[in-house]
Amino acid sequence: VLDEMNEARKELLLAGKDWTAKAKNAETAREAAEYMAEGEERLYELFRELAAGPVENIIALQKALRTTPAVRLDTPAVVLVGAPNVGKSSIVRAISSATPEVSNYPFTTRGMTLGHVEVFWEDQSTTAAAVIPQIGGKRSKWDKDANADGILKNYAFSQLCQIMDSPGLLVRPDMERNEMEALTLAAMQHLPTAVMYVMDLSGGAGDKCSSVEDQLQLRKEVRARFPRRPWIDVVSKVDLGVVDGARETLEEILEGTPYLDVSIKEGTGVDDLRDEVMRMLGEVRVVLDAMAAVDERTARSD
């Protein structure tokens, strides 16, 4: 697009110079005015022919960038990962400021949706409390008994941490993945995130792309791909029940690693989930601080 804009600019400049020269060399003022009018009309034609399309593309790109999440690489984040239609977006709505679309069909989330939670730290690595920031500077408390307006006075500092909703993943080779799936894997690979792996074991997520068997297989594959990330497994929609044998298979895969049962609809496990999110954000912060210290030492040596 920028190359097209540059070429259009060159053509318009050359045409403008030609018509200016004609007007300058005209024998009469009337002839000069006619050249100027003809030149103006020709420049409009050239603009519509050469530049209108690229300009429209630039405007569309600008609008798209305005809606693109601005992820901070120096800020702790948790990304929610799982198959389509397992309840990731509902969880993000419950624990952060984000408002992703929630619908009962696969691939509702078509891009990364970014929300925030304001975390209060006792020191550089220990989380103490958290609230959900809202428009206008107001805060919606995770802890209903907490005094959000005065909570900062009790702790060292606060930080807006990131909660990311991602498009669903399917069990298939990377070469067969669509752009939305590739975006999810890229976020996990390149961003400083902890991982919340979300499963719906009720059997209602859709056998074609989110069967219980596929979700459990996907969990094994993703965890093997990112074995060192802070991680929590979440069984969502537990108010809908769990299909026979699914819990036993999950516990066999986890080999004793704890997981959470969560129902956003009934509020089951939400407080424990928030505690786990705070724990993982603290772990990510330790890693980020260590990376920053290494970068600072490297800069000094240079």
Side-chain angles (χ1 to χ4, degrees), residues 49-288:
E49 178 183 344
L50 301 176
V55 168
E56 290 177 358
N57 290 336
I58 288 289
I59 293 173
L61 179 60
Q62 182 186 39
K63 291 179 179 178
L65 289 174
R66 286 178 178 174
T67 61
T68 300
V71 180
R72 290 183 59 94
L73 300 181
D74 59 349
T75 303
V78 173
V79 59
L80 279 74
V81 179
N85 202 30
V86 296
K88 299 186 297 294
S89 297
S90 294
I91 292 175
V92 169
R93 276 177 168 266
I95 66 173
S96 79
S97 61
T99 56
E101 179 183 356
V102 177
S103 298
N104 189 29
Y105 56 83
F107 289 109
T108 305
T109 303
R110 298 176 179 84
M112 303 301 292
T113 301
L114 186 65
H116 294 89
V117 56
E118 186 174 6
V119 176
F120 297 84
W121 307 82
E122 289 185 352
D123 52 44
Q124 292 296 321
S125 61
T126 306
T127 58
V131 296
I132 299 175
Q134 294 181 337
I135 297 174
K138 297 180 180 179
R139 293 164 173 162
S140 174
K141 301 181 284 294
W142 276 17
D143 182 355
K144 293 181 180 179
D145 296 327
N147 181 358
D149 293 329
I151 195 171
L152 182 56
K153 299 177 182 178
N154 299 322
Y155 302 107
F157 60 95
S158 70
Q159 182 179 30
L160 279 180
C161 295
Q162 303 165 122
I163 309 293
M164 302 170 63
D165 187 14
S166 67
L169 295 173
L170 302 181
V171 178
R172 55 184 175 184
D174 284 352
M175 65 183 66
E176 298 179 11
R177 297 192 182 280
N178 58 37
E179 292 183 359
M180 294 183 292
E181 294 176 275
L183 179 62
T184 296
L185 293 174
M188 298 179 68
Q189 183 173 356
H190 299 294
L191 298 178
T193 63
V195 177
M196 183 191 302
Y197 186 79
V198 182
M199 297 163 278
D200 174 7
L201 304 185
S202 70
D207 291 339
K208 291 185 178 180
C209 59
S210 303
S211 68
V212 171
E213 293 76 13
D214 281 353
Q215 292 181 60
L216 296 176
Q217 178 60 32
L218 179 65
R219 193 272 177 196
K220 290 193 291 186
E221 294 179 4
V222 176
R223 187 53 168 157
R225 194 165 183 164
F226 303 97
R228 301 180 63 185
R229 292 296 177 94
W231 187 287
I232 183 63
D233 291 288
V234 174
V235 178
S236 69
K237 306 181 185 180
V238 293
D239 55 288
L240 300 179
V242 176
V243 298
D244 292 340
R247 192 176 294 277
E248 291 76 13
T249 303
L250 172 62
E251 292 174 353
E252 182 179 343
I253 292 172
L254 298 185
E255 298 179 340
T257 303
Y259 63 94
L260 294 177
D261 285 339
V262 173
S263 168
I264 299 301
K265 181 179 180 180
E266 297 184 350
T268 304
V270 176
D271 289 340
D272 291 336
L273 180 62
R274 289 165 173 164
D275 290 342
E276 285 297 316
V277 168
M278 288 181 61
R279 175 189 63 79
M280 292 193 297
L281 289 171
E283 292 183 20
V284 175
R285 180 178 173 82
V286 170
V287 174
L288 290 174

Side-chain angles (χ1 to χ4, degrees), residues 27-45:
E27 295 182 356
T28 65
R30 181 176 180 179
E31 186 178 0
E34 291 176 352
Y35 278 133
M36 291 296 290
E38 291 178 22
E40 184 178 358
E41 184 177 348
R42 179 54 184 158
L43 288 176
Y44 276 125
E45 291 176 357

